[in-house]
Amino acid sequence: MILWFGKKKAEDAAKAAGAAMPEPELSADEIAARDAEIAAKEAEKAEIERAVAEANKAWEDRQAREAAEAEAESRRLDDEARKAEAARAEALARADGAEARRLEAEAEAARLAREEREATRAKAAAELKLLEDRREAVRLREEREATARAALEAEANDPGFVAKLGSGLARSSSRLGSGLAAFNKRKLDDETLEDLEDLLITSDLGAAVAQRVTKGLAKGRFDREITENEIKQALAAEIEAVLAPHEQVVDFSDGPRPRVVLFVGVNGSGKTTTIGKIASKLKDQGAKALLVAGDTFRAAAIEQLTVWGDRAGIPVMSKPTGADAAGLVYEAMERAKAEDLDLVLVDTAGRLQNKTELMAELAKVVRVVRKLDPAAPHDVILVLDATVGQNALSQVEAFRHTAGVTGLVMTKLDGTAKGGVLVAIAEAHDLPIHFIGVGEGADDLRPFSAHAFSHALVGAID
């Protein structure tokens, strides 16, 4: 996974911003515990790197040894074959007809055996080369993924954005935090866990997540007194464990060209704005994209997308209000192929998940684009409005069935106390969460970070 469009965001700015942030005041015990944890992680990392290096060295030594042994054996057999042929030639000069034919047959058999050995050796060399190529491919992939993870972490956990995320989730964290204050220095018994579970459910995390979190929280802490800060840190860790498997930035530079990305969602979820923000980022990183105003029912949606396109310097394809959206997307794909563009970003009409005729029209768009490319659309990103709370769960279910959703974006987290619903969605649906939005600006849409989100949600300070 490479950040946005295959370019790594510079880490210096994030480091500088982090250095400018005031360090939280920690006690001597907390500093010692933190330093011990860092030292333990560094030691563990060093041990893993040492073991990997030893395993690689052993593999290389074994391959070199086997190759040398095979080469030596081949030379030995070749020497024996040459000596045998010389002896047969000498014997042939002295032999009668029957003996000559026998020697010729032996010579032919030796030649065939030698050719078979050469073929075997060539096959072994080819297999060894294939193994080496695979190993190099794995190394390069891991290197790219490590670079991408570092870039993602730098952008998603940028101190400025993390602060804004905390501010954006203030309503959700305040609602949850005020409830958690009642648990300060309470014994973590069955009654306390039940009350905590009720609080998490009412905070839109959902029953399944609430049960999972309280069960994890009780491990090692049951029947002992717990502080508000301890419970926040423990809750953040448990919520992060739920969200972490879904943390995935989409690599828009990967796969076929043009890459067709369909944005779907209900009315007012923020699809058009989200497309504009993503398009602005991609243009800055060198992508050649085409925006498609597939919401042909609303003139305002076409105008809004055109404004974003003009702002980012990206062309926008549209048709008069009421035109066939599927036909427009088809023409956009043909244009993208002809102009050798990287991306086709399609805005679709907002529709309620319970309106079957509108959902059927969305399915038609999917069918039509597959006439040009059976693998298209390559991404179907569902844009969810955080303010709808638990209703977002039914939206995910409906759009997954109709459009084959491949990833999620959660918007408007700065305007609701229902941010916890993202955790419930992650528990219920095995879908990547690509981005979250906490404002109107292009920089307010960032790659999703499970760590930053979980800590901001419960008001926990790292």
Side-chain angles (χ1 to χ4, degrees), residues 8-53:
K8 180 178 178 294
K9 182 180 175 67
E11 296 181 26
D12 293 342
K15 290 179 180 178
M21 293 182 67
E23 287 289 332
E25 295 183 3
L26 300 176
S27 67
D29 290 342
E30 288 174 325
I31 291 173
R34 182 192 62 185
D35 291 345
E37 182 180 358
I38 292 172
K41 288 182 178 178
E42 289 179 348
E44 181 181 2
K45 179 181 177 182
E47 178 62 23
I48 292 173
E49 290 176 348
R50 184 193 63 77
V52 170

Side-chain angles (χ1 to χ4, degrees), residues 293-310:
D295 185 355
T296 57
F297 294 98
R298 291 192 309 124
I302 299 173
E303 294 172 1
Q304 185 182 8
L305 191 65
T306 301
V307 169
W308 276 105
D310 291 343

Side-chain angles (χ1 to χ4, degrees), residues 173 176-178 180-181 217 226-239 454-455 458-461:
S173 62
L176 185 57
S178 61
L180 291 175
L217 183 67
I226 189 167
T227 67
E228 179 184 353
N229 185 55
E230 284 179 315
I231 203 168
K232 282 184 176 181
Q233 293 291 345
L235 278 175
E238 293 295 332
I239 291 172
S454 60
H455 282 68
V458 303
I461 301 174

Side-chain angles (χ1 to χ4, degrees), residues 283-323:
K283 179 60 184 290
D284 290 344
Q285 295 183 1
K288 295 185 295 180
L290 174 65
L291 301 182
V292 183
D295 185 355
T296 57
F297 294 98
R298 291 192 309 124
I302 299 173
E303 294 172 1
Q304 185 182 8
L305 191 65
T306 301
V307 169
W308 276 105
D310 291 343
R311 189 181 302 169
I314 299 176
V316 179
M317 269 191 77
S318 63
K319 280 191 173 184
T321 305

Side-chain angles (χ1 to χ4, degrees), residues 42-379:
E42 289 179 348
E44 181 181 2
K45 179 181 177 182
E47 178 62 23
I48 292 173
E49 290 176 348
R50 184 193 63 77
V52 170
E54 288 182 355
N56 288 341
K57 182 64 166 57
W59 184 86
E60 291 171 353
D61 290 345
R62 185 175 68 253
Q63 294 298 323
R65 185 173 62 254
E66 291 177 356
E69 290 173 354
E71 182 66 23
E73 177 64 11
S74 179
R75 287 196 299 269
R76 186 185 67 79
L77 293 173
D78 287 345
D79 289 343
E80 289 183 356
R82 283 193 293 271
K83 290 177 181 178
E85 287 180 4
R88 280 193 293 270
E90 184 180 348
L92 185 61
R94 302 191 306 267
D96 57 20
E99 181 67 10
R101 287 192 295 274
R102 184 183 67 77
L103 291 172
E104 287 177 355
E106 288 181 357
E108 178 64 15
R111 184 186 65 78
L112 293 174
R114 186 169 60 254
E115 289 179 355
E116 184 177 353
R117 286 197 307 274
E118 290 295 331
T120 301
R121 185 168 61 177
K123 182 180 178 181
E127 290 178 349
L128 179 60
K129 179 66 166 56
L130 179 61
L131 285 173
E132 291 174 346
D133 289 346
R134 286 177 178 173
R135 184 182 173 207
E136 179 64 11
V138 169
R139 187 191 66 79
L140 291 174
R141 186 182 71 246
E142 290 176 347
E143 187 177 275
R144 287 195 301 269
E145 290 178 352
T147 301
R149 283 193 297 272
L152 171 60
E153 184 177 352
E155 184 165 9
N157 294 300
D158 171 73
F161 181 72
V162 169
K164 186 157 189 175
L165 177 60
S167 176
L169 286 172
R171 293 188 185 182
S172 298
S173 62
S174 175
R175 178 179 177 182
L176 185 57
S178 61
L180 291 175
F183 292 88
N184 189 38
K185 294 188 177 180
R186 278 182 62 176
K187 181 181 285 189
L188 200 62
D189 54 17
D190 289 330
E191 181 181 355
T192 301
L193 288 170
E194 185 175 344
D195 291 343
L196 178 59
E197 186 176 323
D198 291 341
L199 172 64
L200 297 178
I201 291 173
T202 57
S203 299
D204 282 288
L205 272 73
V209 173
Q211 290 176 2
R212 174 175 172 177
V213 168
T214 52
K215 183 178 179 181
L217 183 67
K219 291 180 180 178
R221 303 180 183 90
F222 188 75
D223 210 29
R224 73 174 179 84
E225 189 178 276
I226 189 167
T227 67
E228 179 184 353
N229 185 55
E230 284 179 315
I231 203 168
K232 282 184 176 181
Q233 293 291 345
L235 278 175
E238 293 295 332
I239 291 172
E240 183 178 352
V242 175
L243 293 172
H246 304 272
E247 179 184 293
Q248 179 184 322
V249 66
V250 62
D251 179 4
F252 289 108
S253 70
D254 193 18
R257 295 176 65 251
R259 180 166 177 157
V260 181
V261 186
L262 210 62
F263 291 83
V264 301
V266 303
N267 293 300
S269 63
K271 291 188 308 301
T272 305
T273 301
T274 297
I275 295 172
K277 292 176 181 179
I278 290 176
S280 179
K281 289 277 191 178
L282 293 173
K283 179 60 184 290
D284 290 344
Q285 295 183 1
K288 295 185 295 180
L290 174 65
L291 301 182
V292 183
D295 185 355
T296 57
F297 294 98
R298 291 192 309 124
I302 299 173
E303 294 172 1
Q304 185 182 8
L305 191 65
T306 301
V307 169
W308 276 105
D310 291 343
R311 189 181 302 169
I314 299 176
V316 179
M317 269 191 77
S318 63
K319 280 191 173 184
T321 305
D324 179 47
L328 171 62
V329 177
Y330 187 92
E331 292 176 15
M333 288 182 64
E334 288 188 318
R335 173 178 170 179
K337 287 177 178 287
E339 297 180 8
D340 192 30
L341 301 181
D342 300 307
L343 290 157
V344 178
L345 305 179
V346 183
D347 186 15
T348 64
R351 58 204 76 224
L352 297 173
Q353 69 270 24
N354 58 356
K355 296 294 184 181
T356 55
E357 69 278 9
L358 293 177
M359 295 299 279
E361 184 185 71
L362 179 59
K364 177 186 175 183
V365 172
V366 174
R367 289 196 307 273
V368 167
V369 299
R370 285 177 179 165
K371 291 181 179 179
L372 276 179
D373 183 350
H378 307 103
D379 303 280

